[in-house]
Amino acid sequence: MTQLVTDIICPFCGTLCDDIEVEVSDDGKKIIKVTNACAIGAEKFLHAQSPDRIVRPRMKQEDGSWKEVTYDEAAKYTAKILCDAKKPLMYGWSSTSCEAQATGHMIAELVGGVVDNTATVCHGPSLIAVHDVGIPSCTLGEVKNRADRVIFWGCNPAHAHPRHMSRYSIFSRGYFTTKGSKSRKIIVVDPRPTDTASVADYHIQIQQGRDYELIDALRVALQEGPLPETVAGVPKEKIYDIARLLKSGRFVTIFFGMGVTHSLGKNHNIDIAIALTSDLNKYTKAAIIPMRGHYNVTGSGQVLGWQFGFPFCVDLSRGFARYNPGESSANDLLMRGEVDANFVIGSDPGSHFPFKSVKVINELPSVCIDPHMTPTVAVSKCHVPVALVGIEVGGSCYRMDNVPIESRKVVDPPAGMLTDGEFLELVLTEVQRIKGVAA
Amino acid sequence: MTEILIKNGFVFDPVSGIKGDKKDIAVKDGVIVESVSGSAKVIDASGMTVMAGGVDIHSHVAGAKVNVGRNFRPEDKLQAVYEPARGVRHMAGGNSVPTVFKTAYKYADMGYTTVIEAAMPPLYARHTHEEMRDTPIIDQAALPLFGNNWFILEYLKNGEIDNASAYIAWLLRSTKGYGIKCVNPGGTEAWAWGLNCMTVNDQVPYFEITPKEIIAGLMTVNESLHLPHSLHLHSNNLGNPGNYQTTLDSLKIAEGFKANNNFGRDQVMHHTHIQFHSYGGTSWGDFESKGAEVMDYINKNPNITCDVGFITLDETTTMTGDGPFEYHLSALNHLKWANTDVEIECGAGIVPYIYSKDIYVCGVQWSIGLEMALLAKDHMRCYLTTDHPNAGPFTRYPRVMKWLMSEKARDEVFASMKAEDKVRDRSTLGSIDRELTLYEIAMMTRAGTAKALGMGKKLGGLVPGMQADIAVYPYNPETASDPEQIEYAFSNAKYLIKSGEIIINDSEIVSNGNKQTYWVDVKTNPSKQVEHDLREMFLKYYTVTERNYEVEEHAFMKNPNVISIDATQ
Ligand code: SF4
């Protein structure tokens, strides 16, 4: 007999679907089938079962080979490099639970570390824009129930957040949107003809890197102000049309992704996108939501916020929290050679950071906590495999609209394997011992 | 557990009627007792003031909007020194929106031991509880929002009180909430379409119900569930000139209602931050106080309590479940604006604000709060809050006490204002010479608030059998003369005991305590209709499943304190 586990969250992307059903073997050890998840999500669950999974911590030897160690030894090494360092970088946090993040932050406080999360290379500019202009937003259910005008700007949920469109933003039927996609006008702004663009009512093929100009033009068009013949490659008639379309809606939502946050202009693009949203509230109701990537990058910003007051790149090295993106952010620190130990959890900077940063990691005392073999593991001195949050252990996570949902355990982790939280507790205890402070 | 004897202090305890007599207070096993053995730890409180631990009835200290406030205002961290870790203390920062650690330490320094988070969006309940779990020392509870909830709008429109009651009981259990909060009834739902409800008789778009019906319905449910606290109301039209009419209309809805509970609570309506609701005039030009009129009504109606929401003349961060108000505020001051509409349930907005004593409107707002508190006849029904952080940070409570207790201190503020004459002209504060006593302050900050929360048998007093929450302040009521001493003493408790444990010893925080989270579990008759509606709403309109909605006690509370009620008949 197999058993069906329901109401599981998918620990992959910021859509944080919570209706996943998993069929597991009678002994609760094996995942047989995953339903409701998209292809990426299902693969994440099935990956947990891969037979070649590394199940014990390892230290890299002189010759580059790995030697198995115990969790205690790995925790001692981790605590030592963090305590020995003047300014250890503790990076990642986006694919682990809020409970593990909180424990990690207590370690960072004791060792004077810099805590940064993956927002630093994705929605960091959005967070900075929010400091400047705030953010009128809403939960995804508001989009589902009310939104009749939806813009996807510089994002392609069809590939990056596959169930977003059916659960919340295009096809879903809500209380005031009973006809699903027929209740909505969908606008995609993207230089590329993406799969999301192919289901939109309007695809605005903006010239690459011209987001600021086009948003600015839309703000002018809302007031029927004068525009040049084309802006960012878009004819002015089309811009006026879109502005009128938005004003005629009852509830507008703008979703935006890294096409806006990491093209020229960065946080200024988001400043003006938020300003456009605020402007729209003079005519109708409007909200804006960043398409957050990792399933709990939002949670990392939340926990850092309530514990230290800032959403990312929090520098605790001077004994109080400092925050200055561009100075206290991971890549800036690595490239300037300012950190002397590297700790990674819940992310893969080896794949996503510039080569120059990865080279620095390769030279530092370093530990990487990750269930999988990743490029970051390859450049780290110590690799600590752990149970997968949301599959083998539960914990709190935050969806892209900041709604918290508790992830659940579906199957047992491989025998003897610790969770992120358990391993971090070991490290914390050891750090407290080294520092001579009470638990 | 340890025994403690607090000797020789001047005790102020409205619960037992002690008005500054020298008296010893004994503690054993976490509660106050008649006497202790010779081995008790002795705290010498000679020349100091002793009160029960403070109970804050309305403060925004944990949850989604508070954290937006923290994360969207890095500059707030520069308004106060970021304190490094020390002993048991974590590093702590922020001013108007402090980190959870700073929240706990500052409340402890002020001698407070219990704080109610005044607005919990149910869908974000888990977030609120995560923050409360990480907030050491102080006991907390949170009030979920109901005034714009679709279930409630539908049930009350149809007169289905039993269903509304069963639903509210279900939601309190699911979110681990403490009572019924209602913010801008109907208006926040209207705000989801960019609209608002400005009077108690405006129709909520699409739901065909009025704020008046929502308020009356929620009070009926509250009493039928025998909840410890009453309806906690933030009425419509907050913050606008001329709004006192709406306030009086809202208060009048309580006429004829009687409290029905076993917790010693008398009121059926607690109106929060009444200062923001007592404005006259037709615009900011002819803006004036109607505090006297509103307080006169409250004085005459014993089934109503209120807290004030004193303006503290600071730079702060406003945050409220009143989404449309925050939008209008941002249109007024052109500072940044954050808003979140929450599906099915509610919404919230956040805007930084500077209450400058040089702007006459801010000065008048400041005087309205003090005027009202000084005109209150019964301080067991009128409480000290700043609606933290809306009217000012909670860390200013001691300053507010100074203003309430000293006419001289008030005159100094008046004299420092650019538009002193105009401010004096727009309220009656300048003509009031009343100075509150420490006994009245104890009513406003512990005995009264604990009673209104239905915690009066356990908190807010120093009677044997009550939880041993005790603050000792370095303030000698017999010799103190300078009003500044009031502010200093009530910001710097010399000793603080919570649940019998010493938290502050000789002005230093020595323990993170064993904080409790209160929530209310009411048993009602089952309702097939509510079960059906929940299933339907979660399947069709929510974006989380029904099972994933519940906040699990074991995961989110270090030390739960459940108040169980049987409301089945
Ligand atoms: S959309 Fe995202 S959260 Fe949902 S199943 Fe796919 S990967 Fe998982």
Side-chain angles (χ1 to χ4, degrees), chain A residues 109 131 137 139 285 302 309, chain B residues 67 77 90 336 339 341 343:
Chain A
E109 187 185 58
H131 304 330
S137 194
T139 67
K285 192 66 195 287
Q302 294 288 0
Chain B
N67 223 26
K77 264 63 76 178
H90 292 284
K336 53 194 170 187
N339 179 80
D341 296 340
E343 64 210 55

Side-chain angles (χ1 to χ4, degrees), chain B residues 233-544:
Chain B
L233 177 67
H234 152 156
S235 57
N236 304 77
N237 206 4
L238 172 143
N240 292 319
N243 69 1
Y244 80 107
Q245 278 300 355
T246 315
T247 309
L248 290 173
D249 291 344
S250 306
L251 295 174
K252 282 178 188 159
I253 302 170
E255 281 173 16
F257 279 87
K258 271 205 176 56
N260 183 4
N261 66 94
N262 291 322
F263 298 91
R265 154 179 70 84
D266 295 326
Q267 91 279 10
V268 294
M269 177 192 284
H270 173 80
H271 197 299
T272 188
H273 39 68
I274 196 80
Q275 176 274 132
F276 281 117
H277 301 264
S278 302
Y279 297 165
T282 54
S283 70
W284 296 114
D286 61 359
F287 177 70
E288 61 173 356
S289 171
K290 287 289 177 187
E293 280 83 346
V294 174
M295 191 45 73
D296 183 52
Y297 183 87
I298 294 173
N299 280 336
K300 287 180 183 145
N301 288 277
N303 67 348
I304 299 173
T305 58
C306 68
D307 65 80
V308 175
F310 293 98
I311 299 286
T312 64
L313 301 173
D314 282 286
E315 174 174 332
T316 193
T317 311
T318 69
M319 51 179 68
T320 161
D322 195 334
F325 167 74
E326 293 288 352
Y327 178 66
H328 296 303
L329 195 63
S330 77
L332 203 69
N333 74 3
H334 303 291
L335 297 179
K336 53 194 170 187
W337 167 53
N339 179 80
T340 302
D341 296 340
V342 182
E343 64 210 55
I344 327 285
E345 299 176 345
C346 57
I350 305 152
V351 174
Y353 205 81
I354 300 165
Y355 294 97
S356 164
K357 66 182 165 54
D358 292 331
I359 296 171
Y360 102 90
V361 169
C362 301
V364 178
Q365 289 178 302
W366 168 81
S367 64
I368 296 172
L370 295 169
E371 176 191 24
M372 294 184 83
L374 294 168
L375 292 174
K377 291 222 166 88
D378 179 4
H379 289 97
M380 285 298 282
R381 294 200 288 118
C382 174
Y383 313 127
L384 195 161
T385 64
T386 58
D387 185 18
H388 165 82
N390 286 300
F394 71 81
T395 47
R396 296 296 195 214
Y397 288 0
R399 184 166 293 178
V400 174
M401 292 174 190
K402 174 181 74 181
W403 291 329
L404 290 170
M405 291 175 66
S406 162
E407 192 185 9
K408 178 174 168 240
R410 299 195 290 269
D411 282 340
E412 276 171 15
V413 179
F414 268 131
S416 71
M417 289 176 173
K418 268 193 186 150
E420 179 184 359
D421 293 346
K422 200 168 169 186
V423 174
R424 282 189 183 268
D425 200 38
R426 300 291 170 96
S427 86
T428 64
L429 181 66
S431 63
I432 302 175
D433 57 6
R434 185 176 184 187
E435 295 186 332
L436 296 190
T437 62
L438 283 173
Y439 189 73
E440 284 161 330
I441 294 291
M443 288 174 159
M444 291 185 85
T445 54
R446 38 271 280 166
T449 44
K451 183 174 183 218
L453 287 164
M455 295 176 168
K457 291 179 187 168
K458 185 177 159 169
L459 305 180
L462 297 170
V463 176
M466 294 178 95
Q467 181 168 306
D469 292 354
I470 307 158
V472 180
Y473 298 106
Y475 186 80
N476 186 328
E478 286 187 340
T479 60
S481 54
D482 180 4
E484 296 309 316
Q485 279 175 277
I486 300 167
E487 183 171 344
Y488 174 80
F490 286 88
S491 308
N492 293 282
K494 188 91 167 156
Y495 297 93
L496 180 71
I497 291 158
K498 211 220 81 195
S499 304
E501 192 178 337
I502 296 179
I503 303 294
I504 296 181
N505 186 43
D506 198 11
S507 309
E508 184 66 33
I509 292 177
V510 293
S511 166
N512 286 312
N514 188 16
K515 78 97 53 52
Q516 306 175 77
T517 309
Y518 295 97
W519 68 275
V520 170
D521 187 3
V522 204
K523 208 162 127 207
T524 54
N525 296 314
S527 164
K528 286 264 172 272
Q529 183 66 44
V530 173
E531 281 170 30
H532 165 271
D533 294 346
L534 283 169
R535 226 174 11 251
E536 171 111 346
M537 204 65 114
F538 276 101
L539 263 178
K540 287 186 167 170
Y541 307 125
Y542 265 115
T543 53
V544 297

Side-chain angles (χ1 to χ4, degrees), chain A residues 112 315-321, chain B residues 82-85 91:
Chain A
D315 179 351
L316 308 176
S317 65
R318 294 225 185 140
F320 57 93
Chain B
Y82 206 109
E83 295 159 43
M91 57 176 78

Side-chain angles (χ1 to χ4, degrees), chain A residues 45-62:
Chain A
F45 280 91
L46 296 171
H47 202 73
Q49 309 276 305
S50 114
D52 59 354
R53 196 159 151 194
I54 300 153
V55 294
R56 286 291 175 273
R58 314 173 294 168
M59 292 291 303
K60 198 181 270 167
Q61 304 300 293
E62 291 280 308

Side-chain angles (χ1 to χ4, degrees), chain A residues 1-2 112 140 171 188 194 209-210 292 347 369 384 397 402:
Chain A
M1 272 291 287
T2 59
L140 290 165
F171 304 108
V188 168
T194 61
R210 298 289 181 92
R292 306 301 301 268
S347 67
I369 303 176
V384 184
C397 303
N402 299 309

